[in-house]
Amino acid sequence: MTRHLRGNLLLLVLTLGVCCLLYPVVMYAIAQTFFPTAASGSLVTEKGADGKDEVRGSKLIAQPFTADEYFWSRPSATSPANNATASGASNWGANNPKLRDRVAQQIGPIVQYKKGSKSAGAGPEPRTPQKDIEAWFAADPTRPAEVEAAVKRVADWAGEFEVAAGNWAKTDYAAKTDTDDEKYGLQGEYIRQWAKDHPEVIEDWKKANPTKTDEPKPEDLGAVFFASFAKANPGKWPGVVEVEQPDKTKVKRIEPVSSDPAISSNLFEVWLRDPANAAKAADIEPVPADMVMASGSGLDPHITLRNALSVYQLDRVAAKRTPPGGDVEMTARGITEIARKQSFTPLGGLIGEPLVNVLELNRELDAKFPVPPPPKTP
Amino acid sequence: MWLLPILIVLPTVLLSFPLGRYLAWIMDGKYKTPAAFRWVERQLNTGPQNWKQYAISMLLFSTVMFVFGYLVLALQPMMPLNQKDSVFPDGKGMLSPTTIFNTVTSFMTNTNLQHYSGEQHLSYYSQLVFVLWNMFTSAAVGFCALAAIIRGLRSDPHMGNYYLDMWRVVVYAFVPIAVLTGVPLMASGIPMTLEPAAEAVTVQAGAMGTDTVDGKDVPKPQVIARGPVAAILPIKHLGTNGGGFFGANSAHPFENPTSWSNWLECISILIFPFSLVVMFGRMLKQERHALVIYGVMMTMFVGMIGWAVYQDTLKPNPGLLAHPERTVKVPGADEKVAAPLAALPVDQSGVGNLEGKELRFGPSAGATFSAVTTAVTCGSVNCMHDSLNPLAGITPMTGMMLNCVFGGKGVGMINMLIYLVIGVFLAGLMVGRTPEYLGKKVEAREMKLAMLAFLIHPVMILGPTGLFAALDWGKAATNNPGPHGFSEVLYEFTSASANNGSGFEGLGDTFGFNDPKKNLSTPAPYSPHWDIATGLVMLISRFIPIIAPLALVAGLAAKKKTPFTSGTMRTDTFTFGVVLLGTVLLVGALCFLPAGVLGPVAEHYGPMPFGR
């Protein structure tokens, strides 16, 4: 027994010494001597306003870009996007409706028709799918059949896409904290008010959910609310508008609108599957997969060159970075050249397709094609 | 598509022969001990051990590992190197007790199932002392067990000395090779620092959101977690451990910065399991027999990679495609008509299913890695297995269910030995002769022990899966609907029982810190149930399949060798390879096919998306 005890203790102490002291110290010394930049996380620094070095990010870690003048990173499932202290993925399987909905909601407001296609039209301002979706969504109040179809469309959508309707209700929702009660955004409050004004909403919900006893929350009412709202405002969407009050301050509130990115975002899938729109759907320029599929870490720093140079990225960036009166084509060519120069193909070109690092690309754009200052408003 | 797997497998096969010989040379003690270690080895060598003494030493040291690991993790808030940053201003607190139990068993059994997230829940001290130490030692345990079993098979008078074996494996095999692979990994960009998280001023101002300070909006920085990652990474793969420094494991850019690091990580996962088969043949002086086993394992491995790449990289994510109208009939419920769906305009050509994958490794890298990591029970991931295409998910599950496609360090070869015994038994029955293996008669005692070692695995997978899938414990934890949710439960227990450690990670099994206020996300409702259940499965499925074969070969060693005649069934021929392959596939299929059909296969055929 003492022999076992000695063996165990000695093995514990010796392996601890070798594996947890000697080995990491050797690794640390090698890293700090030969690869100091990599050792501290491949950080990108630049001189800040106070003359000191300021960290602007890591070459290896994606940063969120949402503005039109920047190339966008891949979608990230972390919260918030590209959270580098809580890496992770959506972990949604192919059969998860959330995956399909996320993609449809993301591409609805940005899809374009193929250049020169019949749906885009020949004019200088091509027609956009968003306009078509809104036209399809709208209803002429003088035609009862159209009104009826529009009401049914929203009710069907809200019934099938309950999660999307519930998400709308929970926009800007703040959970309960130690100091504050839970708080709903404009949307949630609007539903509450609506339910008060339209008692049938609660009744409908109770009929659909006979087993539930507690009072419904706004997100539970999402589906019945949209059905009721559509009945009152056929062909309209509850959009957020900013209104100027008599004392010149601006307030946001919800009003029935007929044009809102939320229409193309939420109803894109339904529009797409409507056989009447089949010809238009066929004319849509496909979105590159890496623009809509979330990465494994939520921090993937690259996008494919194909994605960067597609109409969904390059056109938008180039338009924003062209000075007033300048040539957008020229800017686009300049940006393309930078992207191509920065691109690389994995394993020294052996596998896959060219990729670009979004952070490095955007930083170089800021240096070479700065965003022109906005025109002065008189 | 196919170039990457070839570039990974071919060099590993070439390397495995010299390394296998080196390992045999070490384990047979043929080396000349360096002067500095002579005293150490004399002290560690407590004398020759029989199988019982060897098994007891192994269990005793595992107990030491458990106690030590539990102490390190429980005392985390009081230990040094507890990095503080703006997200965790007080450093890392203590994990919940069940999570500590789960984590400690998980690392001590070489599983590395992680019910926590590295960058959120562990301090640098815990990473360096708990994780790193377990990665070296727990990987050596299976290795030593295999060495002891080989000594029994060749009828050595004793099975060697456990403590000396452990020392040999760690110091002469793992540490030097870890330094060798660590240097190129660091060159590719893996951090090695003790500084706390970096804070970056985002290029697009306010892109991470804003904080309100004194009535003004101040843009939030991007807080970038880092740490001594490069120390963990080499042994994480060489020891087929697989526990990530970060939550996203080898998908995280700091754990796997380039396509080259990904390539090297794949090779370092495979190299020891490949070499151990060579070592088996060398130590046993049965190199042709080992080559047959190598071939059988390789056949299954190539099949796994091929299936995954074909289903996941060459096919798009079916969730975005067009689907016809479908009427769903479930007994006892109303008939439901699922609307026909149009394909979403997404161009998936050339990249396959990208959800949960990183671009920098190349298109087929995720699918290849999923086969590599589950064949050899590593459990590290470079893409999220939960988001693999439905049928591609079969590859990682098969790897873990068979658990002998090279398999974990040592234990994979031991599992194959059990299949070998079952194989010769079946073949012996078919020709009507007493089955023999390596000239020793396989009789009732051997078969009982072999069946015990074999049946533990399916029982530990299917039993708890059934229990959890039927109760809220499982239903509330799943992240995906229908059959995919079932697959998540099945995968978790398969991974625990195979001592793999990867997961369909959507499963909600993380509690986090014991003080729930400190957690970034709310604890999953049934996480303690998952912690305890998978912890027990890992323990049982680790030790019984090691100890039963030890007893088995000790029994064989005591038997008289029967003379080799023309009637003896040869174990070094192509025919025998086919018999062995058939045994593995048939016996494996009989155990797991029904569960596989309920999970991935049903998902493939089921309505997609499910539940609308």
Side-chain angles (χ1 to χ4, degrees):
Chain A
M1 199 61 224
T2 48
R3 282 208 301 193
H4 276 304
L5 213 61
R6 196 187 65 200
N8 270 300
L9 282 181
L10 205 61
L11 191 58
L12 172 69
V13 173
L14 285 171
T15 48
L16 270 176
V18 174
C19 307
C20 303
L21 200 67
L22 201 63
Y23 162 76
V25 165
V26 169
M27 295 295 271
Y28 186 80
I30 297 175
Q32 296 291 338
T33 320
F34 297 103
F35 319 109
T37 324
S40 55
S42 309
L43 300 178
V44 180
T45 54
E46 82 184 26
K47 283 261 184 297
D50 52 357
K52 271 188 212 148
D53 271 354
E54 193 178 57
V55 178
R56 299 311 302 266
S58 164
K59 217 170 64 178
L60 294 174
I61 304 286
Q63 232 174 58
F65 290 100
T66 49
D68 284 348
E69 65 264 31
Y70 288 114
F71 283 96
W72 296 341
S73 307
R74 290 181 64 188
S76 163
T78 62
S79 157
N82 302 131
N83 182 347
T85 42
S87 57
S90 71
N91 281 312
W92 288 339
N95 81 341
N96 198 330
K98 288 182 191 165
L99 176 69
R100 192 178 165 102
D101 291 355
R102 188 194 73 206
V103 174
Q105 289 199 343
Q106 189 196 340
I107 62 181
I110 58 164
V111 281
Q112 299 176 19
Y113 289 125
K114 285 178 189 137
K115 279 194 180 125
S117 67
K118 208 171 135 231
S119 306
E125 273 290 296
R127 196 165 167 79
T128 64
Q130 288 74 29
K131 276 191 197 134
D132 282 337
I133 296 173
E134 281 168 8
W136 161 85
F137 182 73
D140 184 347
T142 58
R143 291 191 190 158
E146 221 175 88
V147 169
E148 198 184 319
V151 172
K152 187 172 177 310
R153 186 179 295 138
V154 174
D156 285 353
W157 166 78
E160 188 182 333
F161 293 80
E162 262 181 277
V163 178
N167 282 345
W168 185 85
K170 279 190 92 169
T171 319
D172 295 332
Y173 170 82
K176 194 180 160 174
T177 61
D178 289 345
T179 50
D180 294 309
D181 240 1
E182 60 172 2
K183 233 173 87 185
Y184 280 88
L186 276 179
Q187 288 82 346
E189 290 302 330
Y190 189 75
I191 293 185
R192 270 200 183 140
Q193 191 54 43
W194 187 276
K196 263 185 216 150
D197 301 344
H198 302 76
E200 74 272 12
V201 167
I202 305 265
E203 271 164 40
D204 282 355
W205 183 81
K206 285 199 170 139
K207 231 180 277 165
N209 300 284
T211 51
K212 291 191 184 157
T213 49
D214 36 339
E215 278 303 296
K217 295 189 161 198
E219 64 264 32
D220 301 328
L221 292 175
V224 275
F225 158 74
F226 272 99
S228 162
F229 180 87
K231 227 179 264 170
N233 307 288
K236 301 273 182 192
W237 179 265
V240 180
V241 285
E242 220 168 13
V243 231
E244 210 174 72
Q245 287 185 312
D247 61 348
K248 299 261 166 155
T249 54
K250 286 181 178 172
V251 242
K252 284 183 177 169
R253 67 164 186 246
I254 303 227
E255 275 182 14
V257 296
S258 47
S259 174
D260 190 308
I263 301 175
S264 352
S265 168
N266 284 305
L267 283 119
F268 178 66
E269 167 101 57
V270 186
W271 177 82
L272 197 69
R273 76 163 85 125
D274 188 340
N277 301 321
K280 290 195 173 109
D283 276 346
I284 288 180
E285 175 79 35
V287 179
D290 56 318
M291 199 173 181
V292 293
M293 296 304 241
S295 61
S297 59
L299 302 169
D300 190 349
H302 301 107
I303 54 175
T304 58
L305 187 64
R306 188 153 52 129
N307 174 355
L309 301 185
S310 74
V311 293
Y312 292 112
Q313 298 252 28
L314 181 64
D315 287 15
R316 185 191 70 234
V317 175
K320 276 280 171 180
R321 287 181 184 269
T322 310
D327 183 0
V328 181
E329 289 285 312
M330 271 266 288
T331 320
R333 268 203 299 278
I335 296 176
T336 307
E337 202 178 305
I338 295 180
R340 279 193 199 285
K341 215 167 64 202
Q342 285 199 359
S343 70
F344 69 98
T345 309
L347 275 191
L350 286 179
I351 51 169
E353 58 182 303
L355 309 173
V356 277
N357 185 307
V358 183
L359 182 70
E360 291 188 332
L361 179 60
N362 281 333
R363 274 169 49 83
E364 189 155 344
L365 288 193
D366 273 349
K368 298 227 170 106
F369 292 93
V371 183
K376 283 201 183 83
T377 40
Chain B
M1 282 321 125
W2 301 107
L3 184 64
L4 181 67
I6 295 170
L7 283 179
I8 290 168
V9 175
L10 215 60
T12 318
V13 170
L14 294 179
L15 268 177
S16 70
F17 286 90
L19 185 61
R21 287 199 192 132
Y22 171 73
L23 294 177
W25 183 67
I26 300 257
M27 295 317 278
D28 275 339
K30 289 189 183 148
Y31 59 94
K32 193 167 172 290
T33 316
F37 293 157
R38 237 170 258 156
W39 177 84
V40 170
E41 289 193 8
R42 253 204 318 274
Q43 295 298 310
L44 277 172
N45 192 349
T46 55
Q49 295 174 319
N50 61 23
W51 79 268
K52 279 183 194 152
Q53 289 164 324
Y54 202 93
I56 286 171
S57 309
M58 185 186 75
L59 290 177
L60 275 177
F61 191 65
S62 295
T63 315
V64 170
M65 288 167 83
F66 183 89
V67 174
F68 178 74
Y70 207 102
L71 280 177
V72 171
L73 285 191
L75 298 178
Q76 172 167 278
M78 282 156 248
M79 290 294 155
L81 291 180
N82 193 349
Q83 73 278 18
K84 297 180 174 64
D85 52 51
S86 60
V87 181
F88 296 102
D90 310 326
K92 317 286 186 194
M94 190 186 92
L95 291 166
S96 93
T98 54
T99 306
I100 299 184
F101 164 74
N102 186 279
T103 308
V104 172
T105 26
S106 154
F107 276 81
M108 145 202 153
T109 56
N110 198 229
T111 310
N112 294 209
L113 194 71
Q114 294 171 294
H115 285 183
Y116 68 91
S117 191
E119 75 264 47
Q120 289 178 45
H121 297 132
L122 290 193
S123 70
Y124 293 165
Y125 180 82
S126 302
Q127 295 273 18
L128 283 177
V129 176
F130 170 75
V131 171
L132 190 57
W133 182 68
N134 271 287
M135 281 186 171
F136 276 106
T137 48
S138 75
V141 172
F143 200 130
C144 295
L146 176 64
I149 282 175
I150 298 172
R151 291 179 192 128
L153 279 176
R154 66 183 184 197
S155 307
D156 279 10
H158 59 80
M159 289 200 159
N161 181 278
Y162 176 75
Y163 305 109
L164 183 61
D165 279 350
M166 286 287 284
W167 169 259
R168 284 169 173 169
V169 174
V170 170
V171 174
Y172 300 130
F174 286 165
V175 173
I177 298 179
V179 175
L180 276 183
T181 48
V183 173
L185 284 179
M186 289 193 285
S188 77
I190 297 184
M192 182 69 201
T193 177
L194 294 176
E195 306 254 329
E199 298 205 353
V201 182
T202 52
V203 171
Q204 179 189 322
M208 297 298 300
T210 47
D211 270 330
T212 314
V213 181
D214 304 332
K216 265 192 263 173
D217 281 348
V218 181
K220 279 189 199 167
Q222 187 184 33
V223 183
I224 304 173
R226 47 186 178 167
V229 192
I232 312 274
L233 255 282
I235 189 62
K236 165 183 153 193
H237 293 120
L238 288 169
T240 62
N241 290 287
F245 192 96
F246 299 97
N249 211 307
S250 271
H252 194 292
F254 279 165
E255 287 202 33
N256 205 349
T258 66
S259 51
W260 290 106
S261 67
N262 184 61
W263 175 74
L264 186 60
E265 285 178 17
C266 285
I267 291 184
S268 41
I269 292 173
L270 293 173
I271 183 65
F272 275 105
F274 279 24
S275 309
L276 284 174
V277 184
V278 177
M279 176 183 105
F280 175 81
R282 185 88 181 168
M283 281 177 77
L284 213 52
K285 300 209 169 55
Q286 292 272 355
E287 281 170 89
R288 266 185 64 116
H289 174 49
L291 214 56
V292 170
I293 298 177
Y294 203 123
V296 170
M297 290 173 160
M298 188 55 86
T299 311
M300 293 190 282
F301 185 48
V302 169
M304 281 173 62
I305 295 183
W307 179 261
V309 172
Y310 173 69
Q311 292 292 351
D312 198 69
T313 313
L314 298 180
K315 296 201 170 166
N317 187 317
L320 308 185
L321 301 181
H323 295 283
E325 181 178 279
R326 240 182 127 133
T327 314
V328 184
K329 287 184 207 150
V330 181
D334 291 341
E335 216 174 83
K336 200 175 163 187
V337 180
L341 296 178
L344 294 178
V346 175
D347 175 16
Q348 303 191 59
S349 61
V351 287
N353 175 6
L354 264 190
E355 183 71 13
K357 303 222 170 47
E358 305 279 305
L359 287 171
R360 61 190 173 282
F361 309 140
S364 60
T368 307
F369 203 108
S370 78
V372 166
T373 190
T374 48
V376 305
T377 79
C378 175
S380 157
V381 296
N382 81 349
C383 72
M384 293 303 133
H385 291 186
D386 217 348
S387 297
L388 288 173
N389 276 344
L391 287 181
I394 291 179
T395 279
M397 285 203 207
T398 308
M400 298 186 298
M401 285 167 174
L402 298 179
N403 212 8
C404 64
V405 186
F406 292 103
K409 188 116 317 118
V411 284
M413 191 58 224
I414 297 175
N415 289 332
M416 191 47 128
L417 220 58
I418 298 299
Y419 276 110
L420 270 168
V421 171
I422 297 174
V424 294
F425 179 73
L426 291 177
L429 286 185
M430 279 190 276
V431 296
R433 282 179 54 97
T434 316
E436 288 167 11
Y437 180 55
L438 300 175
K440 303 291 178 80
K441 283 205 165 70
V442 176
E443 289 165 309
R445 176 176 182 271
E446 285 72 39
M447 282 318 292
K448 279 183 197 156
L449 286 166
M451 288 325 285
L452 174 67
F454 170 75
L455 284 173
I456 280 294
H457 189 50
V459 168
M460 282 295 125
I461 292 175
L462 299 175
T465 302
L467 182 70
F468 273 67
L471 297 178
D472 263 353
W473 301 354
K475 281 188 280 184
T478 55
N479 183 45
N480 286 291
H484 196 94
F486 174 77
S487 298
E488 287 181 337
V489 178
L490 176 65
Y491 195 107
E492 183 75 0
F493 283 109
T494 309
S495 170
S497 180
N499 289 165
N500 180 284
S502 66
F504 271 14
E505 282 300 332
L507 193 77
D509 50 22
T510 300
F511 189 94
F513 295 124
N514 197 29
D515 176 4
K517 267 189 207 149
K518 289 212 165 100
N519 286 315
L520 297 183
S521 43
T522 39
Y526 292 102
S527 41
H529 301 66
W530 283 101
D531 283 342
I532 293 168
T534 50
L536 293 176
V537 167
M538 286 186 278
L539 282 177
I540 295 169
S541 298
R542 167 73 164 181
F543 291 107
I544 293 183
I546 288 183
I547 295 171
L550 269 175
L552 191 157
V553 295
L556 283 184
K559 290 189 185 183
K560 257 210 338 252
K561 201 164 177 150
T562 45
F564 187 86
T565 65
S566 60
T568 308
M569 194 178 71
R570 301 190 49 165
T571 53
D572 55 358
T573 59
F574 179 76
T575 319
F576 181 74
V578 176
V579 170
L580 184 59
L581 182 65
T583 309
V584 174
L585 294 183
L586 281 180
V587 176
L590 284 176
C591 288
F592 297 111
L593 207 58
V597 169
L598 284 178
V601 178
E603 186 192 352
H604 177 75
Y605 288 110
M608 189 163 302
F610 187 89
R612 269 270 161 73

